[in-house]
Amino acid sequence: MNAQVLQAVWAVVLLTGTGTVLGLVVGIVVKLFGAEIDPRIEEIEGLLPGANCGGCGFAGCVAFAEALAHGKAEPTACPSNSAAAVERICALLGVAAGTRNPKVAVVLCGGDNAKARQAALYNGVVDCKDAMLVAGGAKGCRFGCLGLGTCARACPFAAIEITAAGIARVHREFCTGCGKCVAACPRNLIRLVPADAPVHVLCSSPEKGAAKRGVCEVACIGCRKCVKASGEDHITMNGFLAVVNYDNPPTAEVAAVCPTGCLVATTPPAETETADPAREMVHA
Amino acid sequence: MPEQVRFRGGVHPDDGKSLSQAAAIQDAPLLETYTVPLLQHIGAPPKLVVAKGGKVLRGQRLAEPSGFVSAAVHAPTSGTVKEVTEVALPTGRTGPAVVLQADGEDKADEGLAPLTDWAEAEPQVLKQRIVDAGIVGMGGAAFPTAVKLSPPATKPISVLILNGVECEPCLTADHRLMLEQPEAVLTGARILARVLGVRTVRIGIEANKPDAIALLTEKARGTGIEVSGLRVRYPQGAEKQLIHALTGRKVPAGGLPMDVGVVVQNVGTAVAVAEAVTLGKTLYERVTTITGRPVVRPGNWRLRVGTPYAKALELAGGVSFDPAKIISGGPMMGFAVYSLDIPVMKSTSGILLLAREDVTQFTGEACIRCGRCVDACPMALMPGTLSVQIENERFDLAETWHALDCIECGCCAYACPAHRPLVQHLRRAKQEVMARRRAAENKSKR
Ligand code: SF4
Ligand code: SF4
Ligand code: SF4
Ligand code: SF4
């Protein structure tokens, strides 16, 4: 019995002793060689959206905060942040706030299931990239939106909705212009454009007008009416496809001349969005 | 039949061959136009050597190989080049194609002289002929044949295997070819053996074709070529499984048949080689099975490359009722297509139409961890586990777990009681892994 008590005491003494010694060693090493952690990093991190969308070009919000603290990035590089937060970060770092041209994503296809023909019934894996592996996608138009939501799942801000008619639509009020969806779309339909761009050509098919019309009601048929109405500086023709010059865009009125309705004016964001559980999740 | 080494896994689907296996190969009548795609093989697209308005003869070169892994394309008949345009292909992609307006005379080009003394010819000369004739693997993969015949000096080849297994259900083109042109099959085998410098030549045929086995065994007597009947199990005709069954050798993961001293060629390829050498004929036609219950007269036709699927179907009498699905190739490994406005290519082994009752519509459920996919996978992968990770886009894990070894045979999806789209997931993962590798390569180059 005595031997057992003794053993227990020894164990306690030994463990406490080792712990104390090692603790001291670590403490001394940190004091002598340890790097000072910049307290601003944490503060900046708190002012970033925390979505880790990568739109700034860094691995995530923490990496971006570190880069900011070390003066290796501009506070405006985060496309997702609010103007107020950017201002506070600038104040914290003592730098002048640069100007930022906010961008939004736009899906350059208007052929939803009501307006564009499906060539076949696809019942495979619900993902645009998977659908592309089966006969190149079952939509009649080889360039149109497949509506299987690969972009929507890639968006860290849940800004993309696949509508009931089966096409991807960006909710401009939620889109921060991070560009994740651009890389996700296997049909390269999504483009980042200046948020104040007034009109868009919602078609990406370079095929001849008749071929496009055969599969889609709202295709750009290359009639050049919009080019004539707005001038070559504002809209150019890329083969049979009209392309808006986003550096020098035409006015919204030009949309009226389009005979098929693929040239559309930007609609202002919906008044009040009812809370969407998917969005709540992202921000939680 | 001698006892065969059995490969692991596999499944036994209904072979559906009775519809077309008794139908002798028929020649197709001449069409007015042919749409000949340029890229019909795996590798670099060939370079066009004709221009719009140019006149060509049957068998004349339309495009020449643009590199080592590339193949020439030849005119299916004599006529005028109407245009060179972008067309939809059976693979679901689009690609450039020569639209040829036939002149109705079907005059042959005499560019390649028959090599009657091939048994004495230099292997190099024979190989050049295979390149000149634009021959690619006719089993479906369409890999340029000459490349497979050029192993590096470090990989000596000791065995040539001819693949007459045709394990893919519904297809009977190779079967008919072996029955109707057994001499050409054997001549092709001997030419290929001469190119490779091997003495051991074996022909593997699945046991469900006893007539072909008997005929070839009979014809091969005295040539030293050994014909083996193989157990009926899909995918017996997959390269690595066939090598294992015939030689007991195992191709290592990520390796090629040449790593174990073997080259495998399809029997259709052997016939094309024999004709290129003994007749000077380039590869501009092939035997294709047109079958399925909706087809009025299922059978096997010798179709010229560039024949639209719709015209091919007309040969078979059209359809008696609307098909629910059209497949280019066989039901296990073929590609679903949604249009008949696509051209027959060197790799088109079959055109299969499925009736509504033959097509199951299902939604994949969660994996119940029964392990049937693991039992079925001939490559010893874990398709179920892989598929769950692939669904979560964990392509890094897919790579670690050898997704690239998947031969896309579809056994896993066939076996899965939860109807999971396993092979579809694997195909996606293979694409993503290859893309990641390419990206990493480009990065390290910069
Ligand atoms: S819609 Fe695209 S650009 Fe906009 S927030 Fe989502 S992923 Fe980013
Ligand atoms: S925009 Fe692209 S990724 Fe998004 S649903 Fe359409 S095809 Fe798919
Ligand atoms: S994982 Fe690939 S090789 Fe294995 S059974 Fe499935 S398709 Fe065939
Ligand atoms: S066969 Fe299907 S259900 Fe069974 S383990 Fe594989 S994936 Fe899961």
Side-chain angles (χ1 to χ4, degrees), chain A residues 104-105 151 154-160 170 174-182 190 192:
Chain A
V104 289
C151 52
C155 176
F157 303 94
I160 301 183
V170 177
F174 302 138
C175 173
T176 64
C178 72
K180 277 236 147 162
C181 52
V182 176
I190 310 184
L192 285 182

Side-chain angles (χ1 to χ4, degrees), chain A residues 111-122:
Chain A
D112 61 20
N113 288 341
K115 302 187 190 103
R117 198 167 63 80
Q118 287 290 330
L121 174 74
Y122 171 75

Side-chain angles (χ1 to χ4, degrees), chain A residues 119-125 127-130 132-143 150 153 187 208, chain B residues 86 88 90-94 325 335-338 356 360-363 391 393 421 424-425 427-429 431-432:
Chain A
L121 174 74
Y122 171 75
N123 75 333
V125 180
D127 189 296
C128 305
K129 288 185 178 171
D130 284 280
M132 288 291 284
L133 294 177
V134 181
K139 202 183 180 90
C141 170
R142 283 186 294 110
F143 302 89
T150 301
R153 284 188 291 280
R187 292 205 151 175
K208 289 184 185 150
Chain B
E86 222 24 50
T91 50
R93 304 224 178 88
T94 62
K325 198 167 183 174
F335 298 99
V337 297
Y338 55 72
R356 169 81 46 224
T360 19
Q361 295 270 342
F362 52 76
T363 329
E391 259 180 334
E393 311 221 322
Q424 288 83 350
H425 280 151
R427 279 188 72 194
R428 166 81 190 281
Q431 278 229 333
E432 298 279 348

Side-chain angles (χ1 to χ4, degrees), chain B residues 294-305:
Chain B
V295 179
V296 175
R297 282 192 305 278
N300 307 286
W301 275 267
R302 189 169 281 113
L303 299 176
R304 300 190 193 208
V305 165

Side-chain angles (χ1 to χ4, degrees), chain B residues 120-336:
Chain B
E120 267 79 56
E122 284 294 317
Q124 204 47 48
V125 173
L126 296 174
K127 194 161 41 171
Q128 188 55 43
R129 173 53 58 95
I130 290 169
V131 172
D132 291 341
I135 296 177
V136 301
M138 313 268 285
F143 192 73
T145 299
V147 179
K148 262 178 146 185
L149 298 177
S150 314
T154 49
K155 306 237 155 97
I157 303 297
S158 55
V159 182
L160 166 70
I161 294 179
L162 279 208
N163 187 347
V165 174
E166 202 165 49
C167 61
E168 180 79 44
C170 301
L171 302 187
T172 53
D174 287 352
H175 185 184
R176 291 310 310 180
L177 206 56
M178 288 187 286
L179 286 181
E180 296 177 32
Q181 291 181 270
E183 275 91 6
V185 171
L186 295 171
T187 307
R190 284 159 63 205
I191 296 170
L192 289 165
R194 184 164 174 81
V195 175
L196 286 166
V198 301
R199 291 182 178 280
T200 315
V201 181
R202 310 198 51 180
I203 304 182
I205 305 172
E206 221 173 28
N208 58 2
K209 297 179 257 299
D211 46 355
I213 300 174
L215 184 66
L216 279 177
T217 311
E218 157 78 32
K219 298 269 179 197
R221 195 160 294 147
T223 58
I225 297 175
E226 193 184 325
V227 181
S228 306
L230 298 171
R231 116 180 127 129
V232 181
R233 190 157 184 91
Y234 177 87
Q236 181 70 74
E239 237 173 27
K240 294 174 186 178
Q241 280 61 36
L242 181 61
I243 292 171
H244 185 49
L246 282 178
T247 66
R249 300 182 195 176
K250 275 200 168 176
V251 181
L256 291 170
M258 63 168 77
D259 293 331
V260 293
V262 181
V263 165
V264 181
Q265 295 287 357
N266 176 268
V267 286
T269 315
V271 171
V273 167
E275 291 180 339
V277 172
T278 60
L279 306 175
K281 179 176 159 190
T282 55
L283 182 55
Y284 57 79
E285 59 183 9
R286 67 155 296 138
V287 181
T288 300
T289 303
I290 304 171
T291 188
R293 288 203 286 138
V295 179
V296 175
R297 282 192 305 278
N300 307 286
W301 275 267
R302 189 169 281 113
L303 299 176
R304 300 190 193 208
V305 165
T307 305
Y309 276 36
K311 291 280 181 204
L313 196 58
E314 271 173 31
L315 291 175
V319 294
S320 50
F321 56 92
D322 262 352
K325 198 167 183 174
I326 308 167
I327 297 175
S328 172
M332 293 299 281
M333 289 195 68
F335 298 99

